[in-house]
Amino acid sequence: MQVSGGHSGTNGGQRAEAGVVFPTCPADPQAAAMWEQRRLAALRQSGLLDSTPEPEFDDLTALAAQVAGTRFAFVVLVDEGRLWFKSTHDSKGSLAPLSEYPRLGSFCDLAIRGEGILAIEDLAADARFAEHPMVRENGLRFYASAPIKAPSGEVLGTLAVLDRHVRPLTEAQGAGLSRLARQCNNLIALRSLLRDLERQVSYHSQALRSTEARLSAFMQHAPITMSVKDLDGHYLMVNRASERFYGEPAAEILGRRIGEIEKSSGAEAIAELESDMRMAGKSVTREICYERDGGKRWYRDIKFPIPDESGAIAAIGGIGIEITATKQAQEELIEAKEHAEAASQAKSQFLANMSHELRTPLNAILGFSEILARNALGPIGPDKVQAYAGDIHESGRLLLNIINDILDLSKIEAGRMVLTEAPCDVAEIARGALNLVANAAQAKSLKLVNAVPSDLPMVRADERALTQILLNLANNAVKFTLPGGEIKVEAALVNQGEVGEGLAIAVSDTGIGIASDDIPLVFSAFGQVQDAFVRGHEGAGLGLPIARALAEAQGGKLDLHSRLGLGTRVTLWLPKERIIRG
């Protein structure tokens, strides 16, 4: 028998074996989808997928390779999107472990859709598989397979033989391969039968045991502590949750009182609870705290009487339900409420500060424009008009800067700031930032020092964000450095223990500095304006929060070191992943 590119053994689209009719995949798409659905359901039910190796299947693949005279043989199960190999055989013993392979466009995907033997003498000459990676890259040339089926008739996969040489499949080899595939079918049927029998035996055995063990299992597996004591407080029975709670096995607990086991204040609380229960003659509940490993565990303990036949209390029953998570949630809720109140207060303070910051330039704009509009001070000369217009322009610029800062911060906090990464020249960005503050620095007789090396590697970052970070840092340095001071920008490749390898860009000044207690406040979007800097400087005080947020958005960090009266140094650190190596 020699077949190339097709299936053998056709019989009107179906083939009968052992009294069962095995249909091929229908041509109609809807019928084909239902065929595939039934096939996958049978595959799942077989329990073969992702199962452990079994020597019986390995024997079949070894025999298949021997019968077909090929190097490779596989038992392949065709899952929804993958081929899973139940058994693999390499006659030379050098095949790397192979568990699964994509189904799409595979040999086996074609094989299961027809019936009988699929044999392809030369895969490289077959237009369907000439460019397949297993042909082009791994050198496979010959493929033949017979279908593997479930007892109900659905095709589960194939028993396949492959070789790296072009070759025919003789009729005898094809017949042998079919017989081995039927043996594989029988093995699967036997395996399924054994599995069903095991399930039945397990079910009936469990049913026999469950009647006598139900009450014990309920108590032992309950996620709450359960116990029974005599009236003197000696433990008569405990469950596993109690063992875990006390950290001792039941054998070490039974016959002892709680005071001999529990060393925290919870022992006294339990003894008091049991006494109250005996006096009340009914169940009593109390929340009790136990100290454990430096922490606290809270339980809602319930003690109830266990009567004898006459109704007298014969023993003490106990149930403990852990409520530690509930207690922690209550504490976290209180803490969250306090944080929310603090945040609300900080926002109120922020709004009050913003009101002041916004009113100041607005009042200047309105005042000077009113003088110009109404001639409130009499005729105004051109010099005065120009001066007033300059003041109006400056106030408008300040107002716009404040609004831009607020909008930028709101975008960052809302996650709407879009960063566009591209190669950036750090030296050029530093030079541009210093140029933008040069006029303000010159007005205060400040010395600007650009110590950024021109040979630094490029970094992958958002140029606008990087510029804004350095500009915010330089603006702050200019604002809070007294006349005659110095502002310096430096950059270098670093490898520090805390931050690791990367690029550091530092802006330092000889300004008024910041007290150590106020450093956290200057990075706060709401709490820093009033307390961290000396009032009287223009701006909303949002430059540092924006700079830190932009740095972190690019995987970096912003660190500030300052000494009151001596100056401040703010360092932007970018990780090594941002550095573009030449």
Side-chain angles (χ1 to χ4, degrees):
M1 177 182 65
Q2 298 182 13
V3 184
S4 178
H7 287 76
S8 69
T10 57
N11 182 20
Q14 296 181 334
R15 181 167 64 107
E17 290 183 5
V20 180
V21 176
F22 299 108
T24 59
C25 179
D28 176 65
Q30 186 174 1
M34 295 179 63
W35 177 86
E36 174 71 1
Q37 189 176 9
R38 289 193 300 270
R39 193 190 68 77
L40 289 174
L43 181 60
R44 300 279 188 276
Q45 190 176 6
S46 72
L48 288 167
L49 279 176
D50 301 307
S51 59
T52 56
E54 298 176 55
E56 295 83 359
F57 288 95
D58 294 338
D59 289 343
L60 286 174
T61 52
L63 281 172
Q66 184 177 348
V67 166
T70 61
R71 175 176 173 180
F72 305 108
F74 305 94
V75 171
V76 186
L77 302 176
V78 182
D79 198 2
E80 184 174 10
R82 61 171 180 161
L83 308 178
W84 187 77
F85 297 88
K86 175 63 179 173
S87 174
T88 63
H89 174 79
D90 177 5
S91 60
K92 294 186 178 180
S94 61
L95 180 66
L98 185 64
S99 61
E100 61 181 66
Y101 192 81
R103 172 181 174 179
L104 184 64
S106 64
F107 317 138
C108 293
D109 186 44
L110 173 65
I112 65 169
R113 298 178 184 277
E115 63 173 318
I117 297 291
L118 169 65
I120 303 174
E121 296 181 6
D122 186 359
L123 291 166
D126 191 311
R128 296 167 297 183
F129 301 114
E131 295 301 319
H132 193 282
M134 297 300 291
V135 177
R136 191 179 66 253
E137 299 173 8
N138 293 322
L140 291 180
R141 288 294 179 271
F142 171 75
Y143 172 87
S145 67
I148 296 173
K149 299 169 182 176
S152 54
E154 290 83 2
V155 180
L156 304 181
T158 65
L159 175 60
V161 291
L162 299 95
D163 210 336
R164 289 198 170 110
H165 302 288
V166 176
R167 55 177 302 142
L169 182 72
T170 67
E171 185 173 353
Q173 289 172 334
L177 188 61
S178 294
R179 291 189 185 97
L180 289 174
R182 287 195 292 275
Q183 289 300 314
C184 193
N185 298 344
N186 295 336
L187 181 57
I188 291 171
L190 179 61
R191 190 180 185 276
S192 177
L193 178 62
L194 289 174
R195 206 154 49 96
D196 290 342
L197 290 174
E198 288 174 357
R199 280 198 293 263
Q200 292 179 23
V201 170
S202 176
Y203 173 79
H204 291 299
S205 298
Q206 182 62 32
L208 290 173
R209 291 192 298 267
S210 63
T211 301
E212 60 185 21
R214 188 173 292 117
L215 181 60
S216 174
F218 169 77
M219 180 175 179
Q220 291 301 328
H221 295 285
I224 57 177
T225 60
M226 303 177 71
S227 65
V228 177
K229 298 181 181 180
D230 63 21
L231 296 181
D232 291 327
H234 298 95
Y235 280 103
L236 302 176
M237 185 167 55
V238 294
N239 70 344
R240 293 174 184 172
S242 298
E243 292 179 316
R244 291 192 295 270
F245 177 74
Y246 291 121
E248 296 189 29
E252 298 296 327
I253 298 174
L254 301 182
R256 301 166 68 187
R257 293 187 174 94
I258 189 170
E260 303 172 40
I261 305 168
E262 178 62 43
K263 302 305 179 183
S264 73
S265 58
E268 297 179 5
I270 285 292
E272 183 179 346
L273 180 62
E274 292 172 352
S275 176
D276 293 345
M277 183 276 297
R278 288 196 298 269
M279 292 180 61
K282 60 181 181 180
S283 63
V284 180
T285 303
R286 197 163 297 159
E287 292 182 356
I288 297 177
C289 178
Y290 302 85
E291 289 79 21
R292 283 288 188 281
D293 301 325
K296 296 180 179 180
R297 293 179 67 177
W298 284 88
Y299 273 76
R300 182 175 288 113
D301 283 300
I302 305 169
K303 296 298 179 180
F304 55 92
I306 301 176
D308 59 15
E309 293 179 356
S310 65
I313 299 176
I316 302 169
I319 295 174
I321 304 171
E322 185 166 12
I323 56 170
T324 305
T326 303
K327 284 286 187 180
Q328 289 175 345
Q330 291 174 351
E331 293 174 359
E332 290 171 0
L333 186 61
I334 293 172
E335 185 178 355
K337 181 175 178 293
E338 292 174 350
H339 281 310
E341 291 173 349
S344 177
Q345 183 178 359
K347 288 185 179 181
S348 297
Q349 181 65 44
F350 172 76
L351 292 175
N353 291 336
M354 285 302 97
S355 176
H356 167 77
E357 297 290 351
L358 295 173
R359 278 201 303 264
T360 299
L362 279 174
N363 286 336
I365 292 170
L366 293 173
F368 287 122
S369 62
E370 184 177 5
I371 292 173
L372 293 173
R374 298 184 179 181
N375 288 328
L377 300 179
I380 304 174
D383 293 341
K384 276 289 187 182
V385 170
Q386 185 177 3
Y388 288 160
D391 290 334
I392 292 172
H393 175 77
E394 182 62 22
S395 297
R397 183 193 61 79
L398 174 58
L399 184 60
L400 180 61
N401 287 341
I402 293 171
I403 293 172
N404 283 338
D405 280 351
I406 296 171
L407 291 176
D408 283 346
L409 186 63
S410 67
K411 281 184 181 179
I412 294 170
E413 290 185 338
R416 291 187 286 107
M417 177 67 76
V418 179
L419 299 179
T420 303
E421 296 183 354
C424 297
D425 187 336
V426 175
E428 186 63 30
I429 290 174
R431 184 162 45 251
L434 288 178
N435 286 340
L436 290 173
V437 300
N439 290 338
Q442 186 177 4
K444 294 179 67 175
S445 300
L446 300 178
K447 181 181 179 182
L448 297 180
V449 179
N450 185 354
V452 178
S454 59
D455 58 350
L456 279 176
M458 303 279 278
V459 296
R460 180 174 51 81
D462 184 290
E463 184 172 352
R464 176 184 172 278
L466 199 56
T467 300
Q468 186 170 356
I469 293 170
L470 293 182
L471 185 57
N472 286 2
L473 300 183
N475 272 327
N476 278 348
V478 171
K479 287 180 187 178
F480 303 110
T481 300
L482 299 177
E486 180 179 289
I487 297 167
K488 187 175 184 180
V489 181
E490 305 168 88
L493 295 173
V494 296
N495 190 357
Q496 300 176 358
E498 294 182 3
V499 297
E501 185 180 350
L503 177 70
I505 308 170
V507 178
S508 57
D509 62 57
T510 58
I512 60 176
I514 307 169
S516 57
D517 292 341
D518 287 334
I519 289 178
L521 294 174
V522 302
F523 285 110
S524 168
F526 298 110
Q528 91 290 359
V529 177
Q530 183 63 37
D531 301 322
F533 290 123
V534 176
R535 302 295 295 166
H537 296 277
E538 65 175 33
L542 297 176
L544 282 174
I546 291 173
R548 171 172 276 185
L550 290 174
E552 292 174 351
Q554 300 180 91
K557 289 180 61 177
L558 201 69
D559 294 321
L560 186 149
H561 298 279
S562 184
R563 292 183 64 183
L564 199 60
L566 295 178
T568 302
R569 181 183 179 88
V570 186
T571 303
L572 166 64
W573 177 84
L574 294 174
K576 64 179 181 180
E577 293 78 13
R578 293 279 172 183
I579 301 172
I580 301 174
R581 302 292 184 180

